[in-house]
Amino acid sequence: MTRRVIAWRGATVYNGGSVNRRPAMRPVLQAILLLVSAIHLLPVVGVAGSDRLASLYGIRVDDPSLEILLRHRAVLFGLIGVLLGTGAFVESLRGAALAAGLISTGAFVVLALLVGGANEPVARVVRIDVAAFLLLVVATGLHAWMGRSL
C-alpha cells in the first residue's frame, strides 16, 4: 500500500487522515527567534561609545577599561543577535542559536539576582531578559517537538 502525503496550509495530511502540524509551528519558532534576535541587537549601539552606554544602562562610564569591556559586550550581543536571526531561517544553526540565547539571557538574569541592587535601567534589562529567556524555552520546546535537538 502506498502512503499518500498531502501538504495543506503548513500541515501534512498522511494517508488515513492523520495530521502532522509540526511544519505549521515553524513560523512561530522563527518569529520567536527573530524577536529575541532584535532584543540582542538593541545593545549594539553601545559600541558607539560611553554616551550610548550611559543611556542604555543608566551609568557613567568614566573608566576607559570599563568602556572597553562594555563596548566589547555590545559586540558580543551583536554576534548572538545575528546568530539568533540566522537560526530562524537556517535550520542547521538553530540549535546553536537557541543554546547561545539561553546561556546569554539565563546567565545575565542569574548574575543580576546574585549581585542585586541594579539601577532601574539595568532592572529593565533583567525583565526583558527574563521574557527573552522564557520565549527561548518555548522555542527550544518547539524545536524539540519538531524532532530536532540542540
Side-chain angles (χ1 to χ4, degrees):
M1 179 174 171
T2 304
R3 290 184 65 152
R4 288 187 302 159
V5 178
I6 303 167
W8 176 73
R9 288 189 180 192
T12 306
V13 179
Y14 293 97
N15 199 26
S18 65
V19 178
N20 177 1
R21 296 196 185 277
R22 290 179 181 165
M25 296 308 289
R26 185 173 295 119
V28 174
L29 177 58
Q30 290 172 323
I32 291 172
L33 286 171
L34 290 173
L35 177 61
V36 178
S37 170
I39 290 169
H40 275 79
L41 290 172
L42 290 173
V44 171
V45 298
V47 171
S50 60
D51 292 339
R52 298 303 298 165
L53 290 166
S55 68
L56 281 171
Y57 303 116
I59 59 171
R60 288 184 36 205
V61 184
D62 296 330
D63 179 20
S65 295
L66 180 59
E67 181 177 346
I68 292 166
L69 290 169
L70 289 173
R71 290 173 82 178
H72 182 256
R73 179 182 189 273
V75 170
L76 295 176
F77 269 107
L79 289 173
I80 294 171
V82 168
L83 178 61
L84 286 161
T86 305
F89 301 103
V90 180
E91 195 171 307
S92 62
L93 294 177
R94 199 166 291 152
L98 288 165
L102 285 166
I103 292 167
S104 170
T105 56
F108 184 74
V109 170
V110 168
L111 288 171
L113 291 173
L114 290 174
V115 173
N119 65 13
E120 181 49 36
V122 173
R124 181 175 9 100
V125 174
V126 172
R127 290 188 299 271
I128 291 168
D129 272 17
V130 167
F133 182 84
L134 294 174
L135 285 169
L136 287 168
V137 168
V138 170
T140 302
L142 287 173
H143 185 68
W145 184 66
M146 293 169 59
R148 309 297 190 264
S149 64
L150 293 179

